[in-house]
Amino acid sequence: MLMNYHELTMGESRDSPEKRKQFLLICTVMVAALVHSIVQAGGLEGVAIEQGTFPGGDFVYKETKRDYAASASLEKVIGKNDAELPTKEYIDRIYTLYLDDPNTMGGRRQRFASGYLITKEEEMPKKDLLLSKNEGKSPPTEEDILELGAISLWPKLLYHEGSLPTAKAATVQFAHTGGFVSAMIFSLKIVPQLRAYAKEHAAPGSAVTILSTCSTVDNVCTHYAPLEKGDEFLLGHEETSVYMASMPPEEGLSISAVLRTLKKILPPLKWILDGDDEPATTTTSDASPAVPKEEKEAAADEL
């Protein structure tokens, strides 16, 4: 008969030495795992900024407003699902353009665009392939953008095309593990230093943006902050300071935010609060209840 530690110590006091040792061991393992993740993601490394050149090219992309940590999943949808690229070929092809400073605004306001940067003539068929994904689709509604999770929202976003110029840029190569620790280091460590460098060294009036392309083979990302032609990297949008000034105060822990979250967790609450029609029911005892339209669509999105 197998007995685990909890079963063997069921009769012991909650404050017994054995319980305290077990708690200490668990905490030690968790801290060690976190430290290991931070080290692997480059948390103890410095950000070495060098002068380089952003290659430029035709950019076929999807854009949205989400926490920058969500960009990795959008890159996967574009690279693997739509562009049909092996993951090892993402580097120098799949880029994300970050328009704002994530440390000055909430996740729902952080603008970014992920897509395929076409730098060679033989890659033009990929442009046609990605744009063909728009056929028969309508852009997501404001409700979709607010209510849907990232995995459900990404396929609904339409592809756009634009041109990014070749430009002198500040560049950083940094470790990348693809996990949440790398995402935190990018937002808290790399972005502030790159943006500060670009503001100091960029041509007068040039907007500050950051572009990143990552290799899952070498576990490294190359980040660019253009030092010239900054307005051409905005994809037709406002520069971040103008964008922030035009926005109303951010919504904190408000009733509407709480209700929006509860409606995702409890679908019946959505019918009550939004005044939607109740799901149809039958009077026969052996009939199964009708499935609401919203639940069918949500299930289809997840598949």
Side-chain angles (χ1 to χ4, degrees), residues 111-150:
R111 302 172 297 170
F112 68 90
S114 296
Y116 195 121
L117 185 69
I118 298 171
T119 58
K120 301 175 182 177
E121 186 66 28
E122 55 265 31
E123 294 179 326
M124 291 303 291
K126 291 294 185 182
K127 176 180 179 179
D128 298 331
L129 173 63
L130 293 176
L131 291 176
S132 70
K133 303 294 183 179
N134 290 344
E135 295 177 3
K137 291 171 60 176
S138 299
T141 64
E142 286 297 323
E143 183 180 4
D144 289 337
I145 294 173
L146 286 173
E147 302 289 343
L148 294 179

